[in-house]
């Protein structure tokens, strides 16, 4: 009897040990938890179409990396295996928050993402004024913040240790405009006087400041700088100022609704200039093209997205994006966001950790070649202030209702139409 009890007791021990070993093995092979990244963009309000396009682009980036097995997208990073290989295949989970285009709302959302969602990094936030407040939160909590599209120069002048910007700053884009004007002059096109029209938040003011700085001491003269209240309902006074100054070129720094209203007002008041240029933003929003291209033939915009050749990784990803109902060809800020988000995912993988200091160190060590990018940048490398100093830009023009690249010659798809046509 005693012997039978002893054998039974041993059997129970063996079975229990087996079960424990089984569960231990299951734990060892359990999938790592997803890596949460907070993304703050304007999902409602006047910039909602732009924000929704950015959200879709970031979702696509995460989907490609999470599902993996996209070897046809090589040499883009993180396309050969599912998830982040250096973190056991952990997937990326973007946690979106709506800034409404409001800096205060964005700041509140950033705090919520850090303290309640426990994100390991923040990404955003389109409007420079919103990026300023959301990145303040990241700096306060010591987690990395990556910006894909905000251009106000002072964002990288605050001495922050956690802020990284992949897109060129407006100071670099202003130099691009000067190079473009220089080439136009070589072609015999007369550009001497420039007007800058800008909305009065951080973004527009930064554009105005940069253009004044970059033209100082050159052959180009700023004959009018016209700030206005963002989301204005009447822009006839601003357009009448342009008519009085008769500039050779006008540069608009405006978000979508303002860009559409300027196009409408210029058409109604009969204002024209040889060169009408949008500083990206509203001019490259798909809504602007749909509503205004018929009266803005020949208008130009700087851009960082060059329609890629068929068969390239960038072309394939744009096709995937089109299948979602969007198109980088008509809204390049979303292309800059998908590029920026990819840089962040790559850094987390190289860090082999979600520890903030490790990810920040990996961001500083980023060294991506042009072949590893979706955009025609010369690469991605950050300086001590967190600014990518390998960015670049092109100029595109509305021809036949859509944008085509017209400068520089190495990316040009069509010859520049000159001067601005307007209603065709």
């Amino acid at each position: 009897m005693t012997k039978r009890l002893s054998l039974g007791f041993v059997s129970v021990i063996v079975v229990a040990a087996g079960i424990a070993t089984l569960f231990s093995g299951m734990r060892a092979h359990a999938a790592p938890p997803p890596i949460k990244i907070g993304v703050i963009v304007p999902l409602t309000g006047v910039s909602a179409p732009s924000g929704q396009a950015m959200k879709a682009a970031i979702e696509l980036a995460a989907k490609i990396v999470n599902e993996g097995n996209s070897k046809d997208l090589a040499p883009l990073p993180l396309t050969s295996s599912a998830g982040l290989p250096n973190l056991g295949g952990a997937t990326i989970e973007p946690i979106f928050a709506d800034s409404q285009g409001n800096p205060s709302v964005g700041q509140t959302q950033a705090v919520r993402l850090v303290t309640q969602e426990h994100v390991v990094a923040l990404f955003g936030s389109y409007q420079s004024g919103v990026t300023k407040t959301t990145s303040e939160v990241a700096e306060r909590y010591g987690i990395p913040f990556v910006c894909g599209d905000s251009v106000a120069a002072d964002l990288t002048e605050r001495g922050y240790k956690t802020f990284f910007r992949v897109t060129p700053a407006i100071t670099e884009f202003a130099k691009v405009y000067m190079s473009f004007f220089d080439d136009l002059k070589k072609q015999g096109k007369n550009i001497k006087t420039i007007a800058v029209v800008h909305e009065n938040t951080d973004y527009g003011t930064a554009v105005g400041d940069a253009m004044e700085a970059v033209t100082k001491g050159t052959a180009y003269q700023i004959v009018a700088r016209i700030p206005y209240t963002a989301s204005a309902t009447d822009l006839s006074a601003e357009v009448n100022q342009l008519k009085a100054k008769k500039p050779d070129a006008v540069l608009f720094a405006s978000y979508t609704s303002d860009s559409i209203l300027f196009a409408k007002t210029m058409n109604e008041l009969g204002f024209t200039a040889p060169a009408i240029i949008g500083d990206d933003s509203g001019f490259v929003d798909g809504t602007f093209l749909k509503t205004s291209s018929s009266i803005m033939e020949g208008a130009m915009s700087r851009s960082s997205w060059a329609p890629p050749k068929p068969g390239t990784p960038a072309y394939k990803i744009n096709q995937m994006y089109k299948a979602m109902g969007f198109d980088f060809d008509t809204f390049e800020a979303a292309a800059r966001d998908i590029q920026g988000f990819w840089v962040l995912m790559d850094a987390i993988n190289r860090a082999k950790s979600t520890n903030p200091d490790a990810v920040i160190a990996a961001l500083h060590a980023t060294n991506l070649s042009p072949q590893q990018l979706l955009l025609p940048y010369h690469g991605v490398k950050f300086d001590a202030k967190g600014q990518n100093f390998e960015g670049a830009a092109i100029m595109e023009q509305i021809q036949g209702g859509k944008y085509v690249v017209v400068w520089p010659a190495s990316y040009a798809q069509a010859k520049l139409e000159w001067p601005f046509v307007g209603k065709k």
Side-chain angles (χ1 to χ4, degrees), residues 270-295:
F271 170 74
T272 187
I276 299 290
I277 303 171
D279 181 63
D280 193 75
S281 302
F283 268 55
V284 296
D285 189 303
T287 307
F288 175 80
L289 270 184
K290 288 178 183 176
T291 59
S292 308
S293 61
S294 63
I295 57 174

Side-chain angles (χ1 to χ4, degrees), residues 293-315:
S293 61
S294 63
I295 57 174
M296 292 294 280
E297 178 74 13
M300 292 175 275
S301 177
R302 59 95 173 160
S303 177
S304 292
W305 168 260
K309 294 179 181 178
T312 62
Y315 180 88

Side-chain angles (χ1 to χ4, degrees), residues 200-221:
N200 61 355
T201 71
D202 289 41
Y203 159 61
T205 303
V207 173
D209 291 347
M211 289 303 294
E212 284 193 333
V214 80
T215 53
K216 192 172 293 183
T218 71
Y220 306 105
Q221 180 186 5

Side-chain angles (χ1 to χ4, degrees), residues 208-375:
D209 291 347
M211 289 303 294
E212 284 193 333
V214 80
T215 53
K216 192 172 293 183
T218 71
Y220 306 105
Q221 180 186 5
I222 302 290
V223 294
R225 177 172 174 174
I226 306 174
Y228 68 92
T229 302
S231 302
T233 57
D234 184 356
L235 294 168
S236 56
E238 287 78 5
V239 174
N240 279 323
Q241 289 184 64
L242 290 173
K243 292 183 73 174
K245 292 295 183 180
K246 299 179 179 177
D248 299 320
V250 184
L251 177 65
F252 290 92
S254 306
Y255 292 115
T256 305
S257 60
D258 299 338
S259 299
I260 293 171
L261 185 55
F262 266 120
K264 180 173 180 286
T265 307
M266 288 192 296
N267 181 58
E268 290 174 348
L269 297 182
F271 170 74
T272 187
I276 299 290
I277 303 171
D279 181 63
D280 193 75
S281 302
F283 268 55
V284 296
D285 189 303
T287 307
F288 175 80
L289 270 184
K290 288 178 183 176
T291 59
S292 308
S293 61
S294 63
I295 57 174
M296 292 294 280
E297 178 74 13
M300 292 175 275
S301 177
R302 59 95 173 160
S303 177
S304 292
W305 168 260
K309 294 179 181 178
T312 62
Y315 180 88
K316 293 173 183 175
I317 288 179
N318 195 26
Q319 294 301 108
M320 296 178 194
Y321 191 55
K322 287 180 177 178
M324 299 170 71
F326 301 93
D327 189 349
F328 293 129
D329 294 345
T330 58
F331 187 54
E332 67 89 44
R336 283 188 288 153
D337 272 342
I338 194 173
Q339 181 63 79
F341 198 74
W342 219 297
V343 168
L344 175 56
M345 293 190 294
D346 174 64
I348 294 172
N349 182 61
R350 284 187 289 104
K352 302 179 181 179
S353 165
T354 55
N355 175 276
D357 291 339
V359 177
I360 289 169
L363 283 164
H364 276 298
T366 298
N367 184 5
L368 296 175
S369 69
Q371 293 73 29
Q372 294 176 292
L373 305 177
L374 293 168
L375 302 184

Side-chain angles (χ1 to χ4, degrees), residues 85-114:
N86 289 343
L87 283 95
T91 56
I92 294 293
E93 182 182 0
I95 307 294
F96 292 94
D98 180 14
S99 71
Q100 303 172 23
N102 182 313
S104 297
V105 174
Q107 188 175 41
T108 300
Q109 290 295 331
V111 171
R112 181 184 65 80
L113 288 169
V114 175

Side-chain angles (χ1 to χ4, degrees), residues 9 67 123 226 291 301 303 408 413 416 421:
F9 179 72
E67 294 182 354
F123 184 89
I226 306 174
T291 59
S301 177
S303 177
Q413 299 172 299
L416 175 72
V421 175

